[in-house]
Amino acid sequence: MNYDIIVVGGGIVGLATALKIKTSSPFLKVLILEKENELARHQTGNNSGVIHSGLYYKPGSLKAKNCIHGYHLLVDFCKQNNVPFELCGKIVVATDEKEIPLLENLYVRGQQNGLQDLRKLTREELKEYEPHVTGVKGIHVPQTGIVDYKKVSEKYGELLLQKDADIKLGEQVIDIQTSTSSVVVITQNASYSAKLVVNCAGLYSDKVARMTVKNLNVKIIPFRGEYFKLRKEKEYLVKNLIYPVPDPNFPFLGVHFTRMAKGGVEAGPNAVLAFKREGYKKSDINLSELAETLTWPGFQKVAAKYWRTGFGEMYRSFSKAAFTKALQKLIPEIQESDLVEGGAGVRAQACDREGGLVDDFMILEESHVINVCNAPSPAATSSLAIGETVSELALKRIL
Ligand SMILES: Cc1cc2nc3c(=O)[nH]c(=O)nc-3n(C[C@H](O)[C@H](O)[C@H](O)COP(=O)(O)OP(=O)(O)OC[C@H]3O[C@@H](n4cnc5c(N)ncnc54)[C@H](O)[C@@H]3O)c2cc1C
């Protein structure tokens, strides 16, 4: 059970990292350990399925660089491997005059990030793209697309097996022990040794990091995003993707309408504190995980700062009428009865001790472990670019 590199986590980031390693150094022995009995069971398998273009991110940030580079790598990958995707474009809609300066900022940011053919839209022009939308102004982003990230991950997994990587499912990593020359990864069933470990454990990335890092300054705070689905007979209300102008103080994009690559139209996700890291239902509670969140000094600062937004999100989570009202800002015709309950996803959002919700991707290097400690949206879009970065760091260490 000796490997060169062990990747913890069979989500899209871990799989893309392993694939990049095996592509550039096929002779290395690589193992992926995933605690579930399938790949991409968590964030990757429960997201909005949007191929983000790079519109939102601070120019020069890891998110901006990786999103744009990752976008092109992903689109090429899907073409080469026959994974269905569609570059259908999206609109971002300002629903009242106060949002116009924020919309203008987004337009400038998109241009700074190199997006071409962005188009500013008047009230009337919005209807050319989405006839049922009402807004005062908008932007059309032609590059944005849709894909099923579970299918993308499964294809990464298939290629890894073809390249002789090992993937072990149902293997939960419970400890990592390092010595000067190697590292031992212990699961409930076995021990595996390697020269290097890459931690891509998503919602548990901080827990896995703490196995070797003493004073980790971040904790993962789980934010559930709940979706409604449009009834089949109402799907005509949405042609492609319709987004609001996001609140710049909040790391999430606001509830939007998404035509899904696997079919159907979803509305959401909201962002409510999850009482369990993998808590997909409102009733899911894990007392020790909840206590850890509530006692983290950084979370207390976030709660003090954003309590109003947080309560608003909670209220919309429990009241379908309130959720519908938020959607009616974009499409006034939508009625509560047009919406049926959809699924949910839980976002892994790193929060530092000082109360900052870490905005950018975060990679921490130790002598024998590389920890991907914050890989929120658009990490699915960016997976191959993040994988490339992490693979370069890993190979520098062991070759
Ligand atoms: C609601 C929602 C909507 C989103 N929408 C988009 C979008 O439209 N576009 C986009 O680009 N991004 C989107 N994202 C973000 C994107 O889904 C994530 O950034 C991405 O999936 C992160 O991938 P990951 O591999 O890091 O995490 P995950 O997919 O969560 O994978 C981590 C894996 O590690 C495993 N694991 C954890 N602990 C252990 C352990 N101890 N031992 C072994 N295995 C372990 C887990 O079981 C899991 O399979 C969205 C996310 C959410 C939640």
Side-chain angles (χ1 to χ4, degrees):
M1 308 266 224
N2 287 328
Y3 289 88
D4 292 302
I5 299 180
I6 294 176
V7 176
V8 182
I12 199 163
V13 174
L15 294 165
T17 301
L19 188 57
K20 285 288 175 185
I21 293 170
K22 278 302 272 182
T23 306
S24 63
S25 302
F27 52 89
L28 290 179
K29 278 190 80 185
V30 174
L31 167 68
I32 295 119
L33 292 172
E34 165 54 51
K35 69 179 166 61
E36 304 293 344
N37 289 321
E38 58 176 321
L39 296 175
R41 163 78 188 78
H42 292 289
Q43 294 179 89
T44 304
N46 296 296
N47 64 25
S48 298
V50 175
I51 307 177
H52 286 294
S53 61
L55 176 71
Y56 301 101
Y57 317 114
K58 202 167 145 200
S61 65
L62 286 179
K63 267 192 184 174
K65 285 187 213 153
N66 283 286
C67 185
I68 295 154
H69 181 44
Y71 172 96
H72 293 290
L73 293 178
L74 178 67
V75 168
D76 288 347
F77 179 88
C78 290
K79 280 184 194 157
Q80 281 159 17
N81 293 285
N82 299 320
V83 178
F85 74 102
E86 216 185 303
L87 299 182
C88 53
K90 78 168 175 184
I91 57 168
V92 184
V93 183
T95 52
D96 74 49
E97 301 286 334
K98 278 188 271 167
E99 290 176 347
I100 291 177
L102 295 172
L103 188 79
E104 294 287 343
N105 289 347
L106 269 190
Y107 183 81
V108 172
R109 196 164 257 201
Q111 285 187 319
Q112 287 170 339
N113 284 336
L115 291 186
Q116 286 169 356
D117 304 325
L118 288 180
R119 183 181 170 205
K120 288 187 184 178
L121 305 174
T122 60
R123 190 187 291 269
E124 294 72 32
E125 285 165 342
L126 278 168
K127 302 224 180 251
E128 287 173 21
Y129 292 95
E130 294 287 349
H132 300 275
V133 152
T134 296
V136 288
K137 278 212 162 113
I139 304 176
H140 179 245
V141 189
Q143 291 85 352
T144 307
I146 51 174
V147 72
D148 181 343
Y149 284 112
K150 188 143 176 106
K151 282 209 172 122
V152 175
S153 304
E154 282 163 0
K155 187 53 89 176
Y156 290 173
E158 204 181 300
L159 295 178
L160 277 163
L161 293 178
Q162 279 171 21
K163 290 176 190 292
D164 280 334
D166 284 347
I167 300 179
K168 292 191 188 287
L169 301 175
E171 284 278 51
Q172 179 168 7
V173 174
I174 53 173
D175 199 11
I176 300 177
Q177 292 169 358
T178 53
S179 69
T180 43
S181 57
S182 69
V183 53
V184 177
V185 178
I186 300 161
T187 69
Q188 277 159 329
N189 307 312
S191 292
Y192 304 90
S193 72
K195 295 178 187 152
L196 187 84
V197 169
V198 181
N199 160 19
C200 300
L203 284 153
Y204 287 96
S205 56
D206 58 338
K207 296 251 185 203
V208 173
R210 279 196 172 81
M211 292 173 187
T212 54
V213 183
K214 276 204 188 90
N215 293 313
L216 190 71
N217 192 38
V218 290
K219 180 159 298 272
I220 292 294
I221 307 294
F223 285 98
R224 190 175 50 252
E226 297 153 328
Y227 294 91
F228 280 98
K229 278 194 182 129
L230 249 60
R231 282 188 197 286
K232 190 117 204 82
E233 60 276 21
K234 291 291 177 170
E235 284 176 3
Y236 71 90
L237 291 173
V238 175
K239 282 171 75 178
N240 291 305
L241 309 176
I242 306 170
Y243 278 68
V245 176
D247 175 348
N249 298 313
F250 213 51
F252 311 120
L253 297 179
V255 288
H256 44 265
F257 292 95
T258 315
R259 181 162 64 78
M260 303 297 284
K262 58 187 175 205
V265 175
E266 290 192 346
N270 56 4
V272 287
L273 179 68
F275 298 159
K276 183 180 174 196
R277 291 195 186 208
E278 290 168 353
Y280 294 97
K281 295 194 291 247
K282 290 184 187 45
S283 55
D284 283 343
I285 299 184
N286 176 318
L287 286 179
S288 89
E289 288 183 355
L290 179 60
E292 272 180 37
T293 298
L294 299 179
T295 54
W296 179 246
F299 175 74
Q300 293 166 359
K301 289 177 191 148
V302 169
K305 202 161 143 198
Y306 296 118
W307 65 270
R308 206 181 286 273
T309 316
F311 274 117
E313 290 288 311
M314 286 276 237
Y315 175 55
R316 273 190 293 278
S317 164
F318 281 97
S319 161
K320 190 176 172 188
F323 199 105
T324 311
K325 207 168 154 201
L327 295 174
Q328 281 170 338
K329 279 186 164 182
L330 294 167
I331 301 185
E333 289 168 66
I334 290 268
Q335 299 300 316
E336 220 177 304
S337 55
D338 300 338
L339 301 167
V340 287
E341 227 161 272
V346 183
R347 307 171 183 86
Q349 174 60 53
C351 171
D352 64 28
R353 207 178 280 275
E354 291 72 42
L357 292 175
V358 181
D359 186 45
D360 214 351
F361 298 145
M362 186 178 173
I363 299 168
L364 293 179
E365 285 187 83
E366 293 280 295
S367 56
H368 290 297
V369 187
I370 297 175
N371 294 292
V372 179
C373 279
N374 197 46
S377 185
T381 306
S382 318
S383 58
L384 290 168
I386 301 174
E388 205 168 79
T389 306
V390 179
S391 135
E392 279 164 17
L393 295 174
L395 297 178
K396 241 189 248 164
R397 273 171 187 274
I398 66 158
L399 291 181

